[in-house]
Amino acid sequence: MKINVNGKELTIDVTANPSLLEALREQLDLTGTKYGCGEGACGACKVLVNGTPLPACITPAVTVQGKKVITIEGLETNGELHPVQQAFLEVDAFQCAYCAPGMIINAVALLEKNSNPTKQEIVDAMNGNICRCCTYPQIVEAIYQAGKQLA
Amino acid sequence: MTKTKANPTLKAKSGISKSAVTNLSRRTFFKRMGVGVASCVMLSDIVMGEMLAADAADSLAAWIHVSDTGRITVFSGKAEVGQNIRTSLTQVLAEELFVSVDDIDLILSDTMRTPYDRGTTGSRTTPQMVPLLRRAAATVREILLETAAESWNLEKQSLDLERGTIAHPSNGKKLSYADLVSGKKLLRDVDSSAPLVPVEQWRIAGTSVPKINGRDFITGRHKYASDMTLPGMVYGKILRSPAVGAELIEIDTSEAERMPGVQVVKDGSFIGVTARDSSTAQVALALIQAKWRHSEQPSRSNLFEHLVSKSKNSPSPKNGVEKAFTQSSIQLEQEFLIDYIAHVPLEPRVGMAEWKGDKLTVWTGTQKPFGVQEDLSNEFGISKGNVRVIMPDTGSGYGGKHTAEAGVEAARLAKAVGKPVKVSWTREEEFKWAYLRPSGVIRVKCAGTDSGGLSSWEIYNFNSGGSGIESPYEVDTKHHQYISSDPPLRQGSYRALASTANTFAMESQMSDMADLLSMDSLDFRLKYLKNERLSNVLVAATEKFGWKRSKAPGSGYGLGCGTVKGGFVASCAEVEVDVATGEVSITRIVTAFECGAIINPRHLESQITGCVLQGLGGALFEAIEFEQGVVTNASLSSYRVPRFKDVPVIETVLVNRPDLPSAGSGETPIIGVAPAIRNAIADACGVKINRLPMLPDGRLPRV
């Protein structure tokens, strides 16, 4: 099956009906997208599908045919970090950082819709993403800073 | 800098004077490392009362090498699991070596390349490694200074150091570390008299250096063990028993075996499958028909009765405590119940294994790479030298990754199928078959006199553990006792171990006792604390919090404090209780923490925030539910962990003590939050919740 990931037309084998997460990680070596729970409850595997953040672990790969998938690896342009990534780097928000790709993808989607969210709007939009190291205040701060940059 | 003389042998604290260098073949070392100047630290310099298996090769604790390009490589067996030790250790090294953190490669957790380490546990990395690495780095720096001084025929203390170069005092000439090292093969023991940069003069340590390689993590480029692959690798899955104590009696794997590309491995009760992708492996596993014999197992509904009735001992108060209790006019006796909780590291266990002949390499996320090496060596009856364990920076642990399961499973499958295998645990496997923070029953008894004196103190912990069980307060007669039991589920280490549970019980008791004696609970604590460092954080937290402020109706203030693992913490909580609905909201938590000289304020703040919020989960709603040996909420949709919306206003006070050695910070700040919240709820509405979690549904329990 043809799949468009990060602007590239790629081919994946869907005979075993893999999830989008499995296809990205095992067939395309795009391992930035993480497994966390397998039921769309933690946000570690979020990718943008036509701009909407979806949990790749419960999205069958076959359902993204003809759509545009953006993963964490697709956010940089010409080696320049996305403003959200830049803000996370500057705020130094993460500990183990395993949740980082899903957090950043979800934050990018939030800022596309609402470029200058309040902290409460950030909390509401990010609640589906778990940071088990619990540096939540730092993550809110990073997204808030990114919003200020983009506004 | 004072003049020092290089000391050819390190004086070991254990009294055994043994040179690290003599145990290390110089030829092998420089063959591996290339020419350079290096210094190494012996384990005997770390070990204080801890006995370690130390054959010659294992006796090294760390080494530092400066290559002829000026690049500095440092080796340590510690593990980075998100506590950001890669950053803090690099900072103290850079400080002593007068280089930037970018000039240092810190190699961690690779049993072939790094020295033996017992494990990254107990908040020991900072107190153990920081003094050692500072001294080792200072030794290397002094060697470089001596070399420069010799070539200019000057005294070394007249030379200036700046980012990897040594400057001549008068003629403007400079020698880089690369120049100085060129052509040399110099390996020395750590010089215990090499002068250290005083903490007050720190320029790199003590500052908020951002996470090393931070960019790799936010771009998805960092390869966790779960992201790794090998050529020809297949994905493995293991057949799990359905319940604790279940025994396999019959198995039919024929359907799975018929699947193309699937291999089934059967070795006694170890049954696994491999396939070229994980979805195929998952299907193959599901096609295995297994019959199990179940045995009677405890459930959550009878957990606490079980722990007490199966306890190995009874409370045995020391003479004097009972008498003091019975003779006192004010008595308080309470029981606290602690449920099982799970670590839930966001990266579940993973192991990837490759055999080459009888040599095995395993990549895994673990806090004990050398423990995994030992387990693998025992499992396969091969020497440790034939087992290499590599741990890339890992997706967290919180005390939950001390064991080798996924690595052993991957290695067994890899051996059987003759290909590299990766075994990634699912979230469900992690909940059901990893280990949990122990549940417990804690009984506290204490007594006071009419004059406000605390006359007796007893605490008995059934099953959850003895960590932090000693009361920090001065009482005339005290007794504490940990009583082991027969745990119904697999249990083990957890961030701060049982200190969280013991501190919950003790600090709840202290606040209730203050009430009984009509004293303010801050004043009551300060009256009985002789530990100045603990009093200091208590004062710092309550000042920031505004402890003596007046309260709105329905709101309450509470506090909890304690000291474990060299750290001192006090947390204050503010809550609002709607008595009509029973709804409780935690509105603010202020935490003051002191762990000696601060190495990285930003990362310390993250550790404290993380501890407080992870502690909030265990305090309010996290609990493992189980029925007849089966965990029934083994998923993140049914086991609740803290999320963005659970976060109250969080404030931290970092109490810096540059005059004291740095201690760890990954555990201690978790212990004050549960009692602070519990005491705040009691303050708001009088309801005393002596159970963790306190508010599984967000409301006061019905009395």
Side-chain angles (χ1 to χ4, degrees), chain B residues 326-503:
Chain B
T326 46
Q327 284 177 350
S328 300
S329 54
I330 297 159
Q331 299 175 335
L332 181 64
E333 198 171 350
Q334 300 194 83
E335 184 175 81
F336 298 85
L337 306 175
I338 314 295
D339 263 303
Y340 277 111
I341 65 173
H343 309 78
V344 199
L346 208 56
E347 182 188 26
R349 280 166 167 65
V350 63
M352 180 173 75
E354 180 180 47
W355 288 90
K356 283 190 175 156
D358 62 350
K359 285 191 165 40
L360 169 65
T361 305
V362 166
W363 292 257
T364 188
T366 176
Q367 295 174 246
K368 290 188 176 177
F370 289 86
V372 174
Q373 182 196 36
E374 191 166 344
D375 286 3
L376 289 165
S377 139
N378 291 338
E379 175 73 32
F380 299 104
I382 52 176
S383 76
K384 281 197 273 180
N386 279 346
V387 181
R388 180 179 182 186
V389 175
I390 301 170
M391 196 207 84
D393 293 9
T394 287
S396 76
Y398 321 115
K401 287 184 179 163
H402 291 188
T403 45
E405 304 88 351
V408 172
E409 289 159 2
R412 288 183 80 169
L413 291 178
K415 192 168 191 188
V417 303
K419 291 172 203 158
V421 174
K422 181 160 79 171
V423 172
S424 301
W425 280 31
T426 62
R427 180 57 55 197
E428 182 178 355
E429 287 176 297
E430 190 70 34
F431 270 113
K432 288 184 168 171
W433 301 111
Y435 54 88
L436 303 167
R437 189 183 77 178
S439 56
V441 174
I442 304 172
R443 291 179 182 158
V444 192
K445 261 173 102 167
C446 73
T449 58
D450 293 325
S451 56
L454 204 49
S455 48
S456 83
W457 180 269
E458 293 164 75
I459 175 166
Y460 305 95
N461 178 313
F462 295 85
N463 187 62
S464 100
S467 177
I469 198 171
E470 253 179 282
S471 167
Y473 301 100
E474 303 286 324
V475 189
D476 293 344
T477 57
K478 283 202 275 195
H479 177 65
H480 58 82
Q481 193 181 349
Y482 159 59
I483 299 164
S484 62
S485 182
D486 175 27
L489 297 176
R490 188 181 176 207
Q491 61 185 39
S493 187
Y494 186 100
R495 199 172 203 171
L497 303 167
S499 329
T500 303
N502 286 324
T503 305

Side-chain angles (χ1 to χ4, degrees), chain B residues 112-128:
Chain B
M112 196 182 88
R113 301 175 74 200
T114 64
Y116 175 84
D117 186 86
R118 259 175 63 135
T120 302
T121 66
S123 293
R124 283 204 299 264
T125 301
T126 299
Q128 236 181 33

Side-chain angles (χ1 to χ4, degrees), chain B residues 13-28:
Chain B
K13 284 193 179 100
S14 60
I16 310 158
S17 185
K18 194 169 154 193
S19 164
V21 172
T22 56
N23 289 326
L24 190 71
S25 153
R26 282 182 74 251
R27 197 155 27 135
T28 316

Side-chain angles (χ1 to χ4, degrees), chain B residues 31-94:
Chain B
K31 198 175 158 196
R32 197 193 286 173
M33 293 303 307
V35 297
V37 166
S39 151
C40 49
V41 185
M42 276 179 69
L43 265 184
S44 50
D45 205 37
I46 308 182
V47 183
M48 283 167 287
E50 284 178 54
M51 285 309 293
L52 295 163
D55 56 42
D58 282 350
S59 67
L60 284 168
W63 64 72
I64 297 174
H65 174 264
V66 184
S67 81
D68 58 1
T69 63
R71 194 88 199 140
I72 296 159
T73 316
V74 183
F75 298 84
S76 159
K78 289 291 177 195
E80 172 63 68
V81 286
Q83 75 285 46
N84 282 329
I85 56 159
R86 183 178 291 289
T87 308
S88 60
L89 296 181
T90 303
Q91 284 178 260
V92 297
L93 287 157

Side-chain angles (χ1 to χ4, degrees), chain A residues 13 15-19 22 25-27 29 31-39 41-42 44 72-73 75-76 79-81 85-86 88-89 91-101 103-104 120 122-141 143, chain B residues 81-84 208-211 214-215 217-224 226-227 229 235 276-280 342-348 394-396 398 422 425-428 494-495 602-603 605-607 609-611 613-614 622 635-639 641-647 650:
Chain A
D13 177 356
T15 40
N17 195 22
S19 66
E22 288 163 337
R25 290 176 55 83
E26 295 176 15
Q27 296 190 41
D29 198 31
T31 54
T33 308
K34 306 300 182 200
Y35 168 91
C37 69
E39 53 172 347
C42 77
I72 188 71
E73 291 93 344
L75 291 182
E76 284 168 277
E80 292 269 306
L81 293 177
Q85 289 173 309
Q86 190 61 41
F88 272 103
L89 200 58
V91 171
D92 198 11
F94 293 114
Q95 293 208 300
C96 85
Y98 190 80
C99 70
M103 287 283 177
I104 291 167
Q120 187 55 51
I122 294 168
V123 165
D124 292 342
M126 298 299 296
N127 205 49
N129 284 68
I130 290 170
C131 169
R132 186 56 172 156
C133 299
C134 291
T135 59
Y136 291 116
Q138 287 85 337
I139 296 169
V140 171
E141 182 61 31
I143 299 171
Chain B
V81 286
Q83 75 285 46
N84 282 329
S208 293
V209 170
K211 187 177 177 72
R215 195 181 166 115
F217 291 90
I218 49 131
T219 53
R221 224 168 264 136
H222 173 71
K223 293 275 182 193
Y224 295 88
S226 46
D227 301 329
T229 53
Y235 294 82
R276 69 190 178 97
D277 55 65
S278 55
S279 47
T280 305
H343 309 78
V344 199
L346 208 56
E347 182 188 26
T394 287
S396 76
Y398 321 115
K422 181 160 79 171
W425 280 31
T426 62
R427 180 57 55 197
E428 182 178 355
Y494 186 100
R495 199 172 203 171
R602 180 61 176 168
H603 290 170
E605 196 187 345
S606 291
Q607 280 285 40
T609 308
C611 275
L613 291 173
Q614 197 165 68
E622 285 184 42
S635 70
L636 274 171
S637 57
S638 54
Y639 180 96
V641 299
R643 290 177 180 267
F644 282 92
K645 286 186 183 176
D646 297 310
V647 178
I650 296 282

Side-chain angles (χ1 to χ4, degrees), chain A residues 10-23:
Chain A
L10 302 166
T11 307
I12 54 169
D13 177 356
V14 292
T15 40
N17 195 22
S19 66
L20 177 56
L21 180 66
E22 288 163 337

